[in-house]
Amino acid sequence: MKILIIGSTGTIGGKIYESLKKEYPEVYGAHRTSTSYPIDITDNSSIENLFKKLPKLDAVINAAGTATWKPLSELTEKDYYVGIQSKLMGQVNLVNVAKKHLNNQGSITLTTGILAEHYEPKAVALSLVNGAIHSFVNAASNELERGIRLNVVAPGAIAGDFPKNQKFAGYYPIDIQEAIKVYKEALTSNITGQIFKKY
Ligand SMILES: NC(=O)c1ccc[n+]([C@@H]2O[C@H](COP(=O)([O-])OP(=O)(O)OC[C@H]3O[C@@H](n4cnc5c(N)ncnc54)[C@H](OP(=O)(O)O)[C@@H]3O)[C@@H](O)[C@H]2O)c1
């Protein structure tokens, strides 16, 4: 299996990359500042370029994308567009490109988070995009052709990034390895249109 991990130096993507690299011979890690496989998911042509550089991929996992952390009272329209352009449209763009280039029966796995359905102060803009991605995956997975699957992993806060013994959005942070198991399930199962919640 030939797999691309986007966000491969991050808290989540870095560990996915490390873990899959041990199990599969062809795993490629990409992110904006990579010298080997640069990609910016907010830029369609950058996504196209990487898929052309890495033809015949079987799977892509995205763990990149951001949004603005601010209380509702301070969020401006411009602030919302940060998340819409990055975490939301970045992942939608990725699906649009990946569905053309992936091998038959290929797998696309996106990342959202607990904030899609649980409240945390200063995280309204993240909740907005996470929820939109869930709706997108739910609908778009029905229209993918050639057996291509589309799923999303919604992890809780990752322990280490957030204090382990302090609740985030009502739940204690999870160990990164728990999240990795879920990405692997999305990768290797035959499930599509699923929101894999881990919190
Ligand atoms: N950490 C958590 O506790 C947690 C919990 C639940 C959900 N999430 C979600 O999971 C995703 C990843 O979080 P993380 O904490 O692992 O992030 P992170 O540690 O900040 O890492 C982000 C990774 O993505 C790359 N990246 C950033 N923007 C990019 C872009 N526009 N195009 C391509 N690559 C880009 C970064 O490298 P470059 O800077 O070189 O591009 C880096 O490799 C985010 O959407 C986050 O909301 C995180």
Side-chain angles (χ1 to χ4, degrees), residues 7 9-12 31-33 39-41 63 65 87 112 156 158 161:
T9 54
T11 301
I12 296 178
H31 55 102
R32 286 172 304 186
T33 55
I39 184 172
D40 184 345
I41 60 166
K87 191 165 181 177
T112 53
I158 304 296
D161 263 6

Side-chain angles (χ1 to χ4, degrees), residues 118-136:
H118 295 285
Y119 169 72
E120 174 69 19
K122 299 186 185 169
V124 169
L126 277 125
S127 295
L128 172 83
V129 294
N130 284 349
I133 296 160
H134 287 184
S135 298
F136 171 72

Side-chain angles (χ1 to χ4, degrees), residues 62 87 91 107-113 116 129-138 141 149-155 182-183 186 191-198:
N62 180 66
K87 191 165 181 177
Q91 298 200 91
S107 164
I108 307 169
T109 308
L110 308 182
T111 298
T112 53
V129 294
N130 284 349
I133 296 160
H134 287 184
S135 298
F136 171 72
V137 166
N138 185 40
S141 55
R149 299 185 296 110
L150 172 62
N151 294 293
V152 53
V153 176
V182 181
Y183 282 94
I191 294 168
T192 193
Q194 182 91 11
I195 299 160
F196 288 88
K197 297 175 189 173
K198 189 68 200 172

